[in-house]
Amino acid sequence: MSWAGVVDQYRARLPVGDTQAVTLHEGNTPLIEVPQLAREIGLDARVFVKYEGLNPTGSFKDRGMTVAITMAAAAGSRAVICASTGNTSAAAAAYAARAGMKAFVIVPEGKIALGKLSQALMHGAQVLEVKGGFDEAFEVVSGVAEARPVTVVNSINPYRLQGQKTAAFEICDTLGRAPDFHILPVGNAGNITAYWMGYSEYHDEGITSSRPRMMGFQAAGAAPIVEGRRVEKPETVASAIRIGNPVSWKQAEAARDESGGAINAVTDEKILDAYKLLAATEGVFAEPASAASIAGLIALHEEKVISAGATVVCTLTGHGLKDPTTAIDVNGGSTKIPADVATAIKVMGL
Amino acid sequence: MSWAGVVDQYRARLPVGDTQAVTLHEGNTPLIEVPQLAREIGLDARVFVKYEGLNPTGSFKDRGMTVAITMAAAAGSRAVICASTGNTSAAAAAYAARAGMKAFVIVPEGKIALGKLSQALMHGAQVLEVKGGFDEAFEVVSGVAEARPVTVVNSINPYRLQGQKTAAFEICDTLGRAPDFHILPVGNAGNITAYWMGYSEYHDEGITSSRPRMMGFQAAGAAPIVEGRRVEKPETVASAIRIGNPVSWKQAEAARDESGGAINAVTDEKILDAYKLLAATEGVFAEPASAASIAGLIALHEEKVISAGATVVCTLTGHGLKDPTTAIDVNGGSTKIPADVATAIKVMGL
């Protein structure tokens, strides 16, 4: 039998009872070893990427959304709402469509990647763009949900993080152990919180004998946890983590501290370098925000934090196809030639 | 242990010996039942979509490319080349990067979807755009490969179809039987050929007791097999199947005839209707060409070809994120409002 989605696969570990799952068969994403990347940066460690871009809507958000929408449907909800930098809205729109619900998504005006906007529209969500950033969008969501019967599916919805913790289970199930380091981007800080929940649950039950150090990375222009203060106007090319006031701030700090980890910042320049390096050396295309984990890996290696022979997992939160515009911007373009063999050979340098 | 990719998973059924696989853990894509879509079109059948957009580069091409690049690497090839409407070039570039090879991709000028172009560039391929369509691009590839030591990874490379046949294995493995009907888009006609190989192999060995009727659909403006003649200037919104002279033409006709199937045409209008219907009713976003299979399902139902209670599989060849531009074009856009709760409630009609 094939993979049935995270609710059915991990039902006993999720607060869903026997509720029928609303699923698109999310989860079961590949854990890909990236030895060429490790060699390229001179790191003697086993490095894996958890390629969450291969979830149905192209990001890790599907793990949480299947649980949130499953429970909203069971409770008789007819409509859901979320604020989003793009990935949450894509997932909310898709799972709401699957459940026959209406979805409303509130996004920062002009600031979500092209692919993500296309997803929300295709799945029939009503998309409202508001002036400001994610934080302003989230305030609108909260206000609407107080006044009207719509279910909020942002990560204040506790089912979201419950679903997201399944990625940690999958990693341990595949490796047969917990990694030594888990590196991931930090935006709203739900994912670092959820992974830590998952690793801790397996550890507490004796399924694994250790837990990883949780190493989170924010973009330098949107690094409230690193700076210890809300950032009023967060700016970064990594739009999925362009957040100035993370919803799961305290929980992320707890995950960091309990695990002996860290939350640091990486610049946009380093993020884009890592983004290109991963795609060019390993054939894995992740969205810019995802590359914060690879930029973080490089930074930790330079700081000699990663011991030789360590097992390291980096989460790639979303597929590179989410944001084709950035990919084209950072690369030299194509070359136009006539349909002629001799010209082609010359241009190719063969 | 997690899924290791199609070469290791189906090694005994592939002409690869014990060659080490070049893999991104492709395959193992979800087979998603779509009961709401069936109900919406009034069809009393079990309908599934094989969501090939969840392969690493977002299309079914990864299945063939892992085998082609595995064998090219084993043979010591340093460079690969292909002509492409976009998905093949994305896969070739990614797997070549994974193998440490150079990739050259020749695409029709101005005619590949944004996402696909971004992939080839990110994975470090040299992208040449030539005047004309796929067929002209393919002539350039053939000419270059005759003159220089580069491996052609178009579907004239026999390893490609060998890899692609694994999708049929997965469907039978999941269902525990072969479907009654298999509906899929037809462009270069490699996929219908490969699926038929896969279904026939399982059937010949007694793993399954039947084979499906193979129902292929071309876009009306690019329907050479339907019309029985090469189309000089193929035109369709479904760029992935905008091909006037399919490489696997004869094999596709054989698959059609041996299976008691058909190859028909669907208009762009029907393709786009199906594209939106699938995303809005089931939360599954596929690229326009993929929707030819859903448009085909609807056409077959209207012609009363599908018997009540039949098991039907439709291949969705690529992820909708491959082509965000078309998705935005065919939908009403977003609504811009100030970050104000009362305004939001009013616009949302709540």
Side-chain angles (χ1 to χ4, degrees):
Chain A
M1 192 50 204
S2 66
W3 182 267
V6 300
V7 169
D8 282 329
Q9 215 69 34
Y10 292 108
R11 184 174 287 276
R13 301 186 172 283
L14 295 170
V16 295
D18 59 358
T19 311
Q20 194 190 342
V22 176
T23 181
L24 292 164
H25 301 223
E26 60 295 315
N28 197 26
T29 55
L31 186 70
I32 304 175
E33 190 162 6
V34 288
Q36 289 144 185
L37 178 75
R39 195 159 49 239
E40 187 76 21
I41 66 176
L43 174 60
D44 173 25
R46 290 197 74 185
V47 181
F48 297 84
V49 293
K50 181 68 171 165
Y51 195 14
E52 290 286 278
L54 299 196
N55 279 296
T57 78
S59 89
F60 74 99
K61 303 284 187 178
D62 293 346
R63 294 180 183 277
M65 203 55 75
T66 182
V67 185
I69 299 287
T70 290
M71 298 313 285
S77 176
R78 306 278 297 276
V80 298
I81 189 169
C82 65
S84 178
T85 57
N87 282 331
T88 299
S89 60
Y95 284 82
R98 183 80 169 159
M101 292 178 191
K102 178 75 189 166
F104 300 101
V105 308
I106 317 286
V107 301
E109 184 176 327
K111 291 197 172 162
I112 78 165
L114 189 66
K116 302 175 189 186
L117 178 61
S118 77
Q119 291 179 287
L121 294 171
M122 278 297 288
H123 294 305
Q126 184 172 5
V127 181
L128 302 185
E129 295 192 54
V130 300
K131 298 262 185 226
F134 172 84
D135 305 300
E136 286 76 16
F138 185 65
E139 283 165 20
V140 172
V141 165
S142 301
V144 172
E146 274 171 32
R148 294 291 186 274
V150 294
T151 303
V152 178
V153 292
N154 276 102
S155 55
I156 54 162
N157 179 318
Y159 296 117
R160 289 276 310 284
L161 299 194
Q162 286 290 322
Q164 286 175 211
K165 77 182 179 186
T166 60
F169 298 158
E170 289 180 20
I171 289 167
C172 296
D173 291 346
T174 299
L175 293 176
R177 54 164 290 190
D180 300 307
F181 294 89
H182 190 114
I183 308 177
L184 77 178
V186 173
N188 224 350
N191 217 25
I192 189 170
T193 304
Y195 269 100
W196 185 240
M197 283 170 52
Y199 282 126
S200 296
E201 193 171 320
Y202 260 31
H203 181 252
D204 291 351
E205 297 182 23
I207 297 171
T208 49
S209 60
S210 65
R211 296 184 292 182
R213 292 173 67 184
M214 301 299 298
M215 314 304 277
F217 285 87
Q218 301 199 291
I225 299 176
V226 178
E227 296 176 14
R229 60 177 181 85
R230 175 175 173 157
V231 174
E232 291 302 328
K233 293 198 180 303
E235 277 305 333
T236 168
V237 68
S239 59
I241 54 172
R242 190 188 283 141
I243 289 175
N245 188 25
V247 169
S248 302
W249 188 323
K250 292 296 164 211
Q251 299 95 307
E253 289 182 337
R256 174 194 66 190
D257 297 341
E258 291 170 21
S259 73
I263 297 178
N264 294 324
V266 281
T267 63
D268 277 9
E269 187 186 354
K270 299 280 190 191
I271 288 173
L272 292 177
D273 285 349
Y275 170 65
K276 292 198 281 186
L277 183 68
L278 176 68
T281 58
E282 297 285 7
V284 176
F285 184 26
E287 66 168 318
S290 302
S293 65
I294 303 299
L297 171 76
I298 296 169
L300 293 172
H301 172 51
E302 287 170 354
E303 295 159 12
K304 305 192 190 307
V305 173
I306 300 175
S307 41
T311 296
V312 183
V313 172
C314 299
T315 297
L316 302 177
T317 46
H319 203 287
L321 285 168
K322 289 275 194 171
D323 186 1
T325 318
T326 298
I328 289 173
D329 286 350
V330 301
N331 281 285
S334 56
T335 308
K336 292 181 175 58
I337 62 164
D340 171 70
V341 174
T343 308
I345 287 176
K346 189 172 170 196
V347 171
M348 290 158 66
L350 292 175
Chain B
M1 191 50 204
S2 65
W3 182 267
V6 300
V7 169
D8 282 331
Q9 215 68 34
Y10 292 107
R11 185 174 287 277
R13 301 186 172 282
L14 295 170
V16 295
D18 60 357
T19 310
Q20 194 189 342
V22 176
T23 181
L24 292 165
H25 301 220
E26 61 293 317
N28 197 27
T29 56
L31 186 70
I32 303 175
E33 190 163 5
V34 288
Q36 288 144 187
L37 178 74
R39 195 157 51 238
E40 186 75 22
I41 65 174
L43 174 61
D44 173 24
R46 291 197 74 186
V47 181
F48 298 84
V49 293
K50 182 66 170 166
Y51 196 14
E52 290 286 278
L54 299 195
N55 279 296
T57 79
S59 90
F60 74 100
K61 302 285 187 177
D62 293 346
R63 295 181 183 277
M65 203 56 74
T66 181
V67 185
I69 299 287
T70 290
M71 298 313 286
S77 176
R78 306 280 295 278
V80 298
I81 189 169
C82 65
S84 178
T85 57
N87 282 332
T88 299
S89 62
Y95 284 81
R98 182 81 169 160
M101 291 178 192
K102 179 73 188 167
F104 300 102
V105 308
I106 317 286
V107 300
E109 185 177 327
K111 290 197 174 163
I112 79 165
L114 190 66
K116 303 176 188 184
L117 178 62
S118 77
Q119 292 179 287
L121 294 171
M122 279 297 288
H123 294 306
Q126 185 174 2
V127 180
L128 302 185
E129 295 192 53
V130 300
K131 297 263 185 229
F134 172 83
D135 305 298
E136 286 75 17
F138 185 65
E139 283 165 21
V140 172
V141 164
S142 301
V144 171
E146 274 172 31
R148 293 291 185 274
V150 294
T151 303
V152 178
V153 291
N154 277 102
S155 55
I156 55 160
N157 180 317
Y159 296 117
R160 289 276 310 284
L161 299 194
Q162 286 290 321
Q164 285 174 212
K165 77 182 179 186
T166 61
F169 298 158
E170 289 180 18
I171 290 166
C172 296
D173 291 346
T174 299
L175 292 177
R177 54 165 289 190
D180 300 307
F181 294 88
H182 190 112
I183 308 177
L184 77 177
V186 173
N188 224 347
N191 218 23
I192 189 170
T193 305
Y195 269 100
W196 184 240
M197 282 171 52
Y199 283 125
S200 296
E201 192 172 320
Y202 261 31
H203 181 252
D204 291 351
E205 297 182 23
I207 297 170
T208 48
S209 60
S210 66
R211 296 184 292 183
R213 293 173 66 182
M214 301 301 297
M215 314 304 279
F217 285 87
Q218 300 200 291
I225 299 176
V226 178
E227 297 176 15
R229 60 177 181 85
R230 176 176 173 156
V231 175
E232 290 302 327
K233 294 198 180 300
E235 276 306 332
T236 167
V237 68
S239 59
I241 54 173
R242 190 189 285 139
I243 289 174
N245 188 25
V247 168
S248 302
W249 188 323
K250 292 296 163 210
Q251 299 94 309
E253 290 183 335
R256 175 194 66 191
D257 297 340
E258 290 171 22
S259 74
I263 297 178
N264 293 325
V266 280
T267 64
D268 277 10
E269 187 186 354
K270 298 280 190 189
I271 288 173
L272 292 177
D273 285 348
Y275 171 66
K276 292 199 281 186
L277 182 68
L278 176 68
T281 58
E282 297 284 6
V284 176
F285 184 25
E287 66 168 317
S290 302
S293 64
I294 304 299
L297 172 75
I298 295 169
L300 293 172
H301 172 50
E302 288 170 354
E303 295 159 12
K304 305 192 190 308
V305 173
I306 300 175
S307 40
T311 296
V312 183
V313 172
C314 299
T315 297
L316 302 176
T317 46
H319 203 289
L321 284 168
K322 289 275 194 170
D323 185 2
T325 317
T326 299
I328 289 173
D329 286 350
V330 300
N331 281 285
S334 56
T335 308
K336 292 180 175 58
I337 61 166
D340 171 69
V341 173
T343 308
I345 287 175
K346 189 171 170 197
V347 172
M348 290 158 66
L350 292 176

